[in-house]
Amino acid sequence: MAAQDLLNDLESFRAELAELFPKTPGDIAVIVHPRPWALAIAQPWLPLARMAASPASRRYMAGWFSQREIHVLSPDALEERASPVEGSREALMLSPLHEYTHIALALNNPALPPPFNPGSFARYLRWAWLIEGAAAQLAGQTPHLRGAVARRLREGRPPSFPPGARDAPLLGGTLLEMLEEGSGREAVAEITAQLDPAGPTHMIERAFARPSLEVERDWRERLATGAVGTRVRRRRGHLYEVEPDDG
């Protein structure tokens, strides 16, 4: 029953993404793992990606993806993985949608993985702020990461801009959230459609239609003032139920 509910949730989410992308992946196999070690063994690129991420970010890397499969932890395992920080559980419960979004991004932009090989993995790390950020934002995770973001800022050195692979799983969505609020949800899909050969800075300037330094200033102020997730998207499903935060 739980597996069928998850498939229903993913089909509903696919319909959402169909409003944003020309193509959405169908016939995707979903493999649910009861323990993190089983997930890591099944998807060996995941441990490598976690090695590049900060400890705070690794908690939210609770699944992985290939061309025709998503691998996720079971709801019970996601519950166990959640921290006491507000929103942690809710963000983790949206992991299946996060991983499905990765496949949708690659289907519409062949420069993005999967498939994974040394070259595409290096590209994943370079563009992690975009890949992980878009997945987090479109899956609805970003608002629920507000507590984890605040904790990250207290415990570590200031993040780079755009967030590097170390912080992308946790902070990438905060930048894409700014883009959605300013230009609409379609802009999040549009920025993922083609990698800018001039690099991330030029890509951000084009997407936001203003200098990168201005975007960075506003982004850092947003993080510092706790304004992440001020617009919480209501999302319901069989395996999760995410309500808007009071704030």
Side-chain angles (χ1 to χ4, degrees):
M1 179 63 72
Q4 185 58 52
D5 288 344
L6 174 54
L7 293 176
N8 291 340
D9 293 341
L10 287 169
E11 190 59 34
S12 296
F13 185 56
R14 180 188 181 189
E16 288 185 31
L17 294 188
E19 299 178 2
L20 302 173
F21 293 99
K23 297 178 285 186
T24 55
D27 299 323
I28 299 298
V30 182
I31 295 87
V32 178
H33 299 275
R35 293 288 182 268
W37 61 262
L39 171 61
I41 291 174
Q43 293 293 290
W45 290 104
L46 175 57
L48 294 177
R50 282 178 174 158
M51 288 175 61
S54 68
S57 293
R58 289 172 198 159
R59 182 183 302 276
Y60 299 97
M61 300 177 76
W64 200 247
F65 55 102
S66 60
Q67 284 183 296
R68 306 303 306 174
E69 297 177 349
I70 63 173
H71 290 248
V72 295
L73 291 174
S74 68
D76 287 345
L78 292 173
E79 290 270 9
E80 293 176 6
R81 193 177 185 85
S83 78
V85 173
E86 181 182 1
S88 180
R89 173 193 172 276
E90 289 81 359
L92 283 166
M93 286 298 174
L94 293 168
S95 295
L97 306 192
H98 182 108
E99 303 311 327
Y100 180 85
T101 304
H102 279 309
I103 302 179
L105 297 180
L107 183 63
N108 290 277
N109 182 351
L112 299 179
F116 280 98
N117 54 51
S120 65
F121 186 72
R123 196 158 54 249
Y124 162 81
L125 293 179
R126 184 188 182 203
W127 294 94
W129 66 271
L130 176 68
I131 298 169
E132 293 294 338
Q137 180 62 15
L138 293 174
Q141 290 177 308
T142 308
H144 306 291
L145 294 173
R146 182 166 51 188
V149 168
R151 185 173 182 176
R152 158 65 183 87
L153 295 179
R154 291 194 302 268
E155 295 180 349
R157 63 182 183 272
S160 62
F161 179 84
R166 178 175 174 80
D167 286 313
L170 189 57
L171 301 183
T174 64
L175 181 58
L176 275 295
E177 181 184 56
M178 281 179 53
L179 180 61
E180 178 175 343
E181 290 186 5
S183 302
R185 194 162 172 81
E186 296 79 7
V188 178
E190 289 171 3
I191 195 176
T192 67
Q194 184 175 5
L195 299 182
D196 193 325
T201 298
H202 187 253
M203 189 176 196
I204 289 170
E205 290 182 339
R206 288 177 53 202
F208 283 84
R210 55 197 181 105
S212 175
L213 288 176
E214 290 185 9
V215 179
E216 178 179 358
R217 178 200 63 204
D218 291 349
W219 177 71
R220 293 192 185 279
E221 181 179 358
R222 185 184 189 88
L223 297 184
T225 58
V228 173
T230 52
R231 297 183 182 180
V232 181
R233 185 178 304 278
R234 179 184 295 271
R235 186 185 294 285
R236 293 180 181 273
H238 293 94
L239 298 186
Y240 50 80
E241 185 172 305
V242 176
E243 296 284 358
D245 296 338
D246 292 336

